[in-house]
Amino acid sequence: MTVQDAHTPASESDSPSESGKPGGAVDQNGTERSIGWHKGYVQGSRPDLQVPVRQVHLTNGKDVTLYDTSGPYTDPSIETDVRRGLAPLRENWIIGRGDTEEYAGRPVRPEDDGLKHTSPRGGLRNLDAVFPGRPRQPRRGRDGQAVTQLAYARRGDITPEMEYVAIRENVAPEVVRDEIAAGRAVLPANVNHPEIEPMIIGKRFLVKVNANIGNSAVTSSIEEEVDKMTWATKWGADTVMDLSTGRNIHTTREWVLRNSPVPIGTVPLYQALEKVDGKAEELTWDIYKDTVIEQAEQGVDYMTVHAGVLLRYVPLTARRKTGIVSRGGSIMAAWCLAHHKESFLYENFEELCDILASYDVTYSLGDGLRPGSIADANDEAQFAELRTLGELNTIAKRHNVQTMIEGPGHVPMHKIKENIDLQQEICEEAPFYTLGPLTTDVAPAYDHITSGIGAAMIAWWGTAMLCYVTPKEHLGLPDRDDVKTGVITYKIAAHAADLAKGHPGAQEWDDALSDARFEFRWEDQFNLALDPDTARAFHDETLPAEPAKTAHFCSMCGPKFCSMKISQDIRRQHGGDLVPEEIEAGMAEKSKEFAAAGNRVYLPLAE
Amino acid sequence: MTVQDAHTPASESDSPSESGKPGGAVDQNGTERSIGWHKGYVQGSRPDLQVPVRQVHLTNGKDVTLYDTSGPYTDPSIETDVRRGLAPLRENWIIGRGDTEEYAGRPVRPEDDGLKHTSPRGGLRNLDAVFPGRPRQPRRGRDGQAVTQLAYARRGDITPEMEYVAIRENVAPEVVRDEIAAGRAVLPANVNHPEIEPMIIGKRFLVKVNANIGNSAVTSSIEEEVDKMTWATKWGADTVMDLSTGRNIHTTREWVLRNSPVPIGTVPLYQALEKVDGKAEELTWDIYKDTVIEQAEQGVDYMTVHAGVLLRYVPLTARRKTGIVSRGGSIMAAWCLAHHKESFLYENFEELCDILASYDVTYSLGDGLRPGSIADANDEAQFAELRTLGELNTIAKRHNVQTMIEGPGHVPMHKIKENIDLQQEICEEAPFYTLGPLTTDVAPAYDHITSGIGAAMIAWWGTAMLCYVTPKEHLGLPDRDDVKTGVITYKIAAHAADLAKGHPGAQEWDDALSDARFEFRWEDQFNLALDPDTARAFHDETLPAEPAKTAHFCSMCGPKFCSMKISQDIRRQHGGDLVPEEIEAGMAEKSKEFAAAGNRVYLPLAE
């Protein structure tokens, strides 16, 4: 794999790129080579297919190539402007397929931004917030045909998107195509979101992490949400869900989409509920459908749809300790009971499939009845809904809609495996997308940890994407620091699972960092770390001096007690410059003498 | 179980007790009852046997009783003074057994505090640091007999210590005695540490957590270490290891022991190395033995002994990515190679057993060859040493010495179970005491999380005690915040394991908190939390107002989107004051109509 470096080392403030410290190492080609990390690209089969990577240049002249989700923001040779949005990377690929058409699209109304119909002026007051970037018309499949990656894969095509993820995942393009065709993986890529760098979600690939953002109770501004999105992807979020529920939902989403290098997911039901002033019983299929089209035209890549919450399942939650804890689930349950009719999402599911197929919006079938406490885990309500999701998954596939299934929730460790095993069986191995699960209820303020434990385990057993949980879960809205903590915690869970699954190449990262640790290459250890900034800061707290960066010990044990130093001395003294084999031989020799001397414990040995 | 409250609610600064907010609830007996949590005691069979508990008084009039490790410091009716030390709770029990005797003991020498022999005045300069509490003479078993809980249990005795932990663990005293007699559990309790509140370590009981403290490279003071110890136990540490390696080791340990309500562990090899100015090859059995007696006389409850690092195993580490990462392991390996003799710890193991037995010091057989990276996990060196630890475990038991076995380290998830299964088989189910394991190497600054994942899993599978890892692991010395973060993370792992093991009563805590969450009893949710202070602080960040403490929603979703609120409304509207059974019946009724109407999806239903 040949990698081209972006011209100069990245160096944005408070980002991982900060840790890219220029240094004086000279690489294989004898050219000056700066230590740290750089944005790099792997060239694909066509000029406009370049896959971004995080290139870490080590002080020992070696390079380590890591998966990169940070988008153009960490490429110093690219000038980004949130008011213009990102370049439409996939536009030519989409147009090139010739199966989509531009059209006028649905007019944006004040109520799309949660503004009362009675006060359209409210819309004007917010005009400054309207996205100023290039005007665009929405696009959809000609004659309502399915323009999904699933349809292409089944047809045997390998799209540029598929080649892109194949390079990212370091596998053959055919593997990507076949996994998508089989419904075991999804490649969320709405034709109206050409800005994304394609990624794939499936158990055969690297475990992915989703970060939720969204202004609720109108506590945060549009700018804050866009910043949270870029901040989350900078630390490794593979997708972002915009769960906004307050004012300016439509406009906030527009800004987020136009600036996002990763797929964006939403829960259309939230906005639909805003349109009926929060009165669940006033929801209708038409309002919901209109909202889905509104969001599909904007470019939302996947949508959570709680179509599995059936009227007859609601009673099953009556004995629960925490009832229904999914927002969407509780809204649909309320609607079903208010009307004593079956869910309009379930009744109109096939029509919904045709709409999503014409934009290539991926289904994320929501688990509206997921358990909200250890006591409710794996109960009848949860698994009844799962069986319905299996039925809907089959219908969605028939309509060529890419589909993943959402999972819990709160589940004690010994009940986690049953969740992934049942889901894989019932949903024909469709990608599982779980929230945690949280392995105990007793640690509010630390639920990134209670859930990170369950997330690592369920991902090892086959979950394809993990929805992060921040320290603020159950207590409040995550701020910037919470978002970072949540993403880092979940990247740890995802990578631990990649290792346990034996994902090809996953361990190279650990090995490179451990080599740096054993050889006291502190700068390399920092630059290879999931969070270089914090690793360096912690080290400097106790040993700030520059020399300490090359010291053969750290403040934990000090020089006398540094096991690695002693361990190295042993190799030097008893191996000199010998290679491991020779050291081994030499030591084995000595221990043979020991064995020959009786190898017994209480027999005094000769000096 | 009748619980007596300490007279007034505890309220020390920056401690969990802070969250004990007085309130106006009136309890069953109609007496004024303050909301929050209080120190309580469960009365045993003798007046001086009172087991501390954390009593949480809920706003709904109910009480929840939790395990309490915080010692007398959280009992407002007890005045503590670190210069006097804690009351010798067990003194009468120990003397009452009549099998120990006081004796002059070993004179304390300047070098015990790491002061050069050449400058005995150095001792004077530190005189102010000498522990000022009541003078005491060391105690040991008469005629060197074994005065261990193991010896008593095998004899069929149920000691006050055993009854104490039986009450703590909510099991019959016979269970405690039998588990100890079988070597499946240890009750670390040096006859020279009468201040401890007895606790037990074994897979049949609650999973325990150890916190390491210790001044290294002389960065912290004696007061800091004592404060770290009380701080760690306040947040739930069940034992504390003093890993000090700098100056004043002896004096620091004296202060820690006299003020510690939990068992204290050490690695005598560290102090022995200080006595030979850090030159491993100058270590001798006599210096080591003298150090063990010095520490046993002070009251150290368990000691890590790296007797399993044999000369012939050292070559097995030559091909490793990170060699030998255990301090003790690397020191012993260096000694073995320098002398080309077998480890003096291994050769003199039986004599060491007799010394420990006469004070009831528990063995923690160290895993000196544990893997320090994912690449080295479960390798030949590691398992070769484990087999030797199994051999030593059998010898220790023959001498009536309580014994636990230490475990790794860095281990990917799919290789964790083999560690506990092998250890249980090879060491006849002796308690396993593991460090993490860390499930990936790539996240320095977050190793409390990379290891918390592995810790929860290995504890579920049978590990009895978890040694915490702080965010500073691999980078620097943990400060107060790191200690708290490490302890909380490991309490989460331990409790998640207790749930997965189905430990009787473990889920009551989760259920109580989830009930409070569902019923919007915010104060109860905070007071039941593992860290009430942080939970309350996070909630108040976005909704500070007092009314918000009773609001039926939080800032996460706001009133309209609060799933629990909607879920409750559903119960109210469709169940009124009916009990769950009736709601269920009523709803089932409705859904039968739905079923009767065809139960088919696309059939329009009558209003």
Side-chain angles (χ1 to χ4, degrees):
Chain A
M1 180 175 75
T2 59
V3 181
Q4 307 154 344
D5 259 15
H7 301 75
T8 57
S11 63
E12 274 178 68
S13 71
D14 65 18
S15 85
S17 51
E18 251 198 334
S19 49
K21 287 253 185 75
V26 172
D27 75 5
Q28 300 89 321
N29 330 330
T31 59
E32 180 74 12
R33 167 173 178 293
S34 65
I35 305 312
W37 79 271
H38 303 256
K39 186 85 171 188
Y41 294 92
V42 179
Q43 182 62 56
S45 65
R46 43 190 292 171
D48 64 351
L49 201 161
Q50 297 191 313
V51 181
V53 292
R54 179 182 173 92
Q55 279 287 98
V56 184
H57 298 318
L58 306 180
T59 56
N60 65 357
K62 292 185 186 146
D63 278 12
V64 177
T65 302
L66 302 177
Y67 193 102
D68 178 37
T69 59
S70 61
Y73 301 101
T74 50
D75 183 339
S77 65
I78 297 177
E79 210 178 279
T80 57
D81 173 359
V82 292
R83 303 182 60 79
R84 278 206 341 269
L86 298 175
L89 173 68
R90 297 166 54 232
E91 194 161 58
N92 294 333
W93 307 349
I94 295 163
I95 295 172
R97 284 190 277 263
D99 55 0
T100 55
E101 65 190 355
E102 285 191 325
Y103 68 106
R106 168 192 173 286
V108 178
R109 295 185 279 272
E111 53 265 40
D112 297 344
D113 270 330
L115 305 170
K116 291 274 160 298
H117 323 178
T118 51
S119 66
R121 302 289 104 229
L124 292 176
R125 260 188 269 104
N126 289 272
L127 263 189
D128 59 329
V130 172
F131 185 71
R134 68 186 157 77
R136 48 178 287 283
Q137 275 208 317
R139 179 176 289 281
R140 70 182 169 200
R142 279 215 172 78
D143 324 314
Q145 65 183 289
V147 293
T148 67
Q149 295 290 322
L150 174 56
Y152 304 144
R154 281 175 165 173
R155 188 189 302 160
D157 297 354
I158 290 177
T159 62
E161 288 87 347
M162 295 177 199
E163 180 189 344
Y164 193 102
V165 300
I167 293 172
R168 272 189 129 166
E169 299 275 346
N170 208 1
V171 299
E174 291 71 19
V175 174
V176 173
R177 180 197 57 201
D178 298 348
E179 289 297 300
I180 293 173
R184 285 189 299 265
V186 295
L187 195 163
N190 184 324
V191 295
N192 292 308
H193 194 193
E195 297 89 350
I196 59 164
E197 296 172 343
M199 53 78 70
I200 192 162
I201 303 165
K203 63 182 175 185
R204 171 82 174 67
F205 308 99
L206 289 164
V207 174
K208 303 305 188 296
V209 172
N210 169 75
N212 294 334
I213 61 171
N215 61 321
S216 124
V218 203
T219 60
S220 56
S221 73
I222 289 174
E223 290 69 19
E224 277 176 62
E225 293 316 306
V226 173
D227 176 69
K228 268 189 208 163
M229 178 273 293
T230 54
W231 181 241
T233 55
K234 197 163 277 183
W235 291 109
D238 296 284
T239 73
V240 167
M241 287 193 82
D242 177 3
L243 304 184
S244 297
T245 56
R247 283 253 171 135
N248 303 316
I249 299 185
H250 181 96
T251 307
T252 302
R253 190 166 49 235
E254 187 67 26
W255 281 76
V256 168
L257 280 161
R258 302 286 73 82
N259 287 289
S260 175
V262 303
I264 297 297
T266 62
V267 184
L269 192 63
Y270 297 172
Q271 184 178 16
L273 189 69
E274 292 284 355
K275 292 178 178 177
V276 292
D277 303 323
K279 303 197 189 73
E281 63 280 11
E282 290 185 14
L283 281 167
T284 65
W285 163 241
D286 290 335
I287 290 171
Y288 182 84
K289 174 180 166 183
D290 175 69
T291 306
V292 166
I293 291 170
E294 170 190 350
Q295 298 193 9
E297 289 179 345
Q298 284 186 288
V300 170
D301 301 286
Y302 65 92
M303 299 182 184
T304 295
V305 179
H306 300 91
V309 179
L310 302 190
L311 179 61
R312 63 180 181 278
Y313 297 157
V314 181
L316 301 180
T317 65
R319 289 163 170 283
R320 279 183 158 185
K321 203 159 266 303
T322 48
I324 299 173
V325 296
S326 147
R327 291 188 203 175
S330 59
I331 294 165
M332 288 314 299
W335 188 93
C336 290
L337 292 173
H339 296 272
H340 264 291
K341 289 175 67 174
E342 193 45 273
S343 156
F344 59 80
L345 294 176
Y346 187 70
E347 289 198 24
N348 300 282
F349 192 74
E350 302 222 30
E351 184 179 353
L352 187 56
C353 289
D354 291 331
I355 295 169
L356 300 199
S358 65
Y359 297 95
D360 198 3
V361 172
T362 297
Y363 266 124
S364 184
L365 296 178
D367 55 336
L369 302 182
R370 68 168 173 270
S373 57
I374 290 298
D376 296 343
N378 297 21
D379 71 353
E380 199 186 342
Q382 185 195 334
F383 288 149
E385 178 187 33
L386 180 58
R387 282 185 291 274
T388 299
L389 296 185
E391 173 195 337
L392 297 173
N393 171 63
T394 308
I395 296 170
K397 296 289 169 54
R398 209 162 56 219
H399 291 259
N400 276 317
V401 183
Q402 303 193 79
T403 305
M404 52 186 172
I405 313 293
E406 295 185 8
H410 290 240
V411 185
M413 285 190 284
H414 64 298
K415 292 187 176 178
I416 290 176
K417 195 160 188 309
E418 183 181 10
N419 278 273
I420 174 74
D421 291 347
L422 260 183
Q423 182 274 338
Q424 287 290 290
E425 179 197 328
I426 293 172
C427 303
E428 300 165 319
E429 299 182 84
F432 204 24
Y433 169 29
T434 62
L435 176 72
L438 286 70
T439 54
T440 170
D441 306 338
V442 303
Y446 297 86
D447 280 326
H448 56 303
I449 296 175
T450 64
S451 66
I453 291 167
M457 293 170 73
I458 202 163
W460 166 27
W461 291 324
T463 287
M465 183 157 77
L466 302 168
C467 181
Y468 86 168
V469 171
T470 77
K472 289 281 170 65
E473 183 73 14
H474 296 124
L475 298 169
L477 276 178
D479 59 21
R480 217 158 178 271
D481 291 342
D482 299 316
V483 166
K484 176 179 173 180
T485 302
V487 171
I488 297 272
T489 302
Y490 272 67
K491 291 300 278 189
I492 288 170
H495 184 67
D498 291 334
L499 287 174
K501 287 164 69 176
H503 190 283
Q507 199 183 311
E508 282 167 29
W509 187 6
D510 300 70
D511 290 351
L513 193 140
S514 290
D515 283 337
R517 182 171 283 156
F518 190 66
E519 290 162 16
F520 299 100
R521 286 183 275 112
W522 289 98
E523 283 300 334
D524 292 346
Q525 197 179 152
F526 300 147
N527 292 327
L528 283 165
L530 204 45
D531 178 358
D533 307 351
T534 307
R536 177 177 283 101
F538 280 4
H539 174 271
D540 292 1
E541 261 180 44
T542 29
L543 277 182
E546 251 331 291
K549 294 295 193 323
T550 53
H552 278 206
F553 61 89
C554 76
S555 60
M556 272 182 298
C557 315
K560 270 194 301 202
F561 283 93
C562 179
S563 57
M564 291 200 177
K565 181 175 183 301
I566 296 172
S567 198
Q568 284 195 344
D569 294 345
I570 289 175
R571 289 193 188 177
R572 248 193 310 288
Q573 292 159 23
H574 298 268
D577 297 331
L578 304 176
V579 297
E581 288 73 3
E582 296 170 299
I583 300 174
E584 211 165 18
M587 286 183 167
E589 179 58 33
K590 286 292 186 186
S591 59
K592 270 204 221 71
E593 291 169 15
F594 169 71
N599 201 0
R600 292 216 314 284
V601 185
Y602 301 109
L603 176 84
L605 303 171
E607 288 296 326
Chain B
M1 181 174 74
T2 59
V3 181
Q4 307 153 347
D5 259 16
H7 302 75
T8 56
S11 64
E12 276 178 66
S13 72
D14 64 20
S15 83
S17 50
E18 249 197 336
S19 50
K21 289 253 183 74
V26 172
D27 76 5
Q28 301 87 320
N29 329 331
T31 59
E32 180 74 11
R33 174 170 172 291
S34 64
I35 304 313
W37 79 270
H38 302 256
K39 187 84 169 189
Y41 294 91
V42 179
Q43 182 61 56
S45 65
R46 41 191 293 171
D48 64 351
L49 201 162
Q50 298 191 312
V51 181
V53 292
R54 179 182 173 91
Q55 279 288 97
V56 184
H57 298 317
L58 308 179
T59 56
N60 64 358
K62 290 184 186 147
D63 277 13
V64 177
T65 303
L66 303 177
Y67 194 102
D68 178 39
T69 60
S70 60
Y73 301 101
T74 50
D75 183 339
S77 66
I78 296 177
E79 209 178 280
T80 58
D81 173 358
V82 291
R83 303 182 60 80
R84 279 206 339 269
L86 298 175
L89 173 69
R90 298 167 51 234
E91 194 161 56
N92 295 334
W93 306 349
I94 295 164
I95 295 172
R97 284 190 277 263
D99 55 0
T100 56
E101 64 189 355
E102 286 192 325
Y103 67 107
R106 169 189 173 287
V108 178
R109 294 185 281 272
E111 54 264 41
D112 297 345
D113 269 330
L115 304 170
K116 294 270 160 300
H117 322 178
T118 50
S119 64
R121 303 288 103 231
L124 294 176
R125 261 189 268 103
N126 290 271
L127 263 189
D128 59 331
V130 172
F131 185 72
R134 69 187 157 78
R136 48 178 287 282
Q137 276 207 318
R139 177 177 291 279
R140 70 182 168 200
R142 281 218 169 75
D143 326 312
Q145 65 184 290
V147 292
T148 68
Q149 296 291 321
L150 173 57
Y152 303 144
R154 282 175 165 172
R155 189 188 304 160
D157 298 352
I158 290 177
T159 62
E161 287 88 346
M162 295 177 200
E163 180 188 346
Y164 193 103
V165 300
I167 293 171
R168 271 189 129 167
E169 301 275 345
N170 207 2
V171 299
E174 291 71 19
V175 174
V176 173
R177 180 196 58 200
D178 298 348
E179 289 297 300
I180 293 174
R184 287 190 299 264
V186 295
L187 194 162
N190 184 325
V191 294
N192 291 308
H193 194 194
E195 297 89 348
I196 60 165
E197 296 173 344
M199 53 78 71
I200 193 162
I201 302 165
K203 64 182 174 183
R204 171 83 174 66
F205 307 100
L206 290 163
V207 175
K208 304 304 187 297
V209 172
N210 171 75
N212 293 334
I213 61 172
N215 60 323
S216 124
V218 203
T219 59
S220 54
S221 72
I222 289 174
E223 291 68 19
E224 278 175 61
E225 293 315 306
V226 174
D227 176 68
K228 268 189 207 163
M229 178 273 293
T230 54
W231 181 242
T233 55
K234 199 165 277 183
W235 291 108
D238 296 285
T239 73
V240 167
M241 286 193 82
D242 177 3
L243 303 183
S244 297
T245 56
R247 282 253 172 136
N248 304 318
I249 299 184
H250 180 96
T251 307
T252 302
R253 190 166 47 234
E254 187 66 26
W255 281 74
V256 170
L257 280 161
R258 301 286 73 84
N259 287 288
S260 175
V262 303
I264 296 297
T266 62
V267 185
L269 193 63
Y270 297 173
Q271 183 177 15
L273 189 69
E274 292 285 356
K275 291 178 178 177
V276 293
D277 302 325
K279 304 197 188 73
E281 63 279 11
E282 290 186 13
L283 282 168
T284 65
W285 163 242
D286 289 336
I287 291 172
Y288 182 84
K289 173 181 166 183
D290 175 67
T291 306
V292 165
I293 292 170
E294 171 191 351
Q295 298 193 7
E297 290 179 344
Q298 284 186 288
V300 170
D301 301 286
Y302 65 91
M303 298 181 183
T304 295
V305 179
H306 299 91
V309 179
L310 302 189
L311 179 61
R312 62 181 183 277
Y313 297 158
V314 182
L316 301 179
T317 67
R319 289 163 170 283
R320 278 183 160 185
K321 205 157 262 303
T322 48
I324 299 173
V325 296
S326 148
R327 291 189 203 176
S330 59
I331 293 165
M332 289 314 299
W335 188 92
C336 291
L337 292 173
H339 296 272
H340 263 292
K341 288 176 68 173
E342 193 45 273
S343 157
F344 58 78
L345 293 177
Y346 187 70
E347 290 198 24
N348 301 281
F349 193 73
E350 301 222 30
E351 184 180 352
L352 187 55
C353 289
D354 292 331
I355 295 169
L356 300 200
S358 65
Y359 297 95
D360 198 2
V361 173
T362 297
Y363 266 124
S364 184
L365 295 179
D367 56 334
L369 302 182
R370 67 167 173 269
S373 57
I374 290 298
D376 296 342
N378 296 22
D379 71 354
E380 199 186 341
Q382 184 195 335
F383 288 150
E385 178 187 32
L386 180 57
R387 281 185 291 274
T388 299
L389 296 186
E391 174 196 337
L392 297 173
N393 171 61
T394 309
I395 297 171
K397 296 289 169 57
R398 208 163 54 219
H399 291 258
N400 275 318
V401 183
Q402 303 192 81
T403 305
M404 53 185 172
I405 313 292
E406 295 185 7
H410 290 240
V411 184
M413 285 190 285
H414 64 298
K415 292 187 177 178
I416 289 177
K417 197 161 186 308
E418 182 181 11
N419 278 272
I420 174 75
D421 291 348
L422 261 182
Q423 182 273 338
Q424 287 290 291
E425 179 197 327
I426 292 172
C427 303
E428 300 165 320
E429 298 182 86
F432 203 24
Y433 170 29
T434 62
L435 177 72
L438 285 70
T439 54
T440 170
D441 305 338
V442 302
Y446 297 86
D447 281 325
H448 57 302
I449 296 175
T450 64
S451 67
I453 292 168
M457 293 170 73
I458 203 164
W460 166 28
W461 291 324
T463 288
M465 183 156 77
L466 303 168
C467 181
Y468 85 168
V469 171
T470 77
K472 290 281 170 62
E473 184 73 17
H474 295 125
L475 298 168
L477 276 180
D479 59 21
R480 218 159 178 274
D481 291 341
D482 298 316
V483 167
K484 176 179 173 181
T485 302
V487 171
I488 297 273
T489 302
Y490 272 67
K491 290 301 278 191
I492 288 170
H495 184 67
D498 291 334
L499 287 175
K501 287 164 67 177
H503 190 284
Q507 198 182 312
E508 281 168 29
W509 188 6
D510 299 71
D511 291 350
L513 193 141
S514 290
D515 283 337
R517 182 172 283 155
F518 189 67
E519 290 163 17
F520 300 101
R521 288 184 273 112
W522 290 98
E523 282 301 333
D524 291 347
Q525 197 179 151
F526 300 147
N527 291 327
L528 283 165
L530 205 44
D531 178 357
D533 307 351
T534 307
R536 177 177 282 101
F538 280 5
H539 173 271
D540 293 0
E541 262 180 41
T542 28
L543 277 183
E546 253 328 295
K549 295 295 195 321
T550 53
H552 278 206
F553 61 89
C554 77
S555 60
M556 272 183 299
C557 314
K560 268 192 304 200
F561 283 94
C562 179
S563 58
M564 291 202 178
K565 180 176 182 303
I566 296 171
S567 198
Q568 285 196 342
D569 294 345
I570 288 174
R571 289 194 187 177
R572 247 193 310 285
Q573 291 157 24
H574 299 268
D577 298 332
L578 304 177
V579 296
E581 288 73 4
E582 295 170 300
I583 301 173
E584 210 164 21
M587 286 183 167
E589 179 58 32
K590 286 292 183 186
S591 57
K592 267 204 222 72
E593 290 169 16
F594 169 72
N599 202 359
R600 291 216 314 283
V601 185
Y602 302 108
L603 175 83
L605 302 171
E607 290 293 327

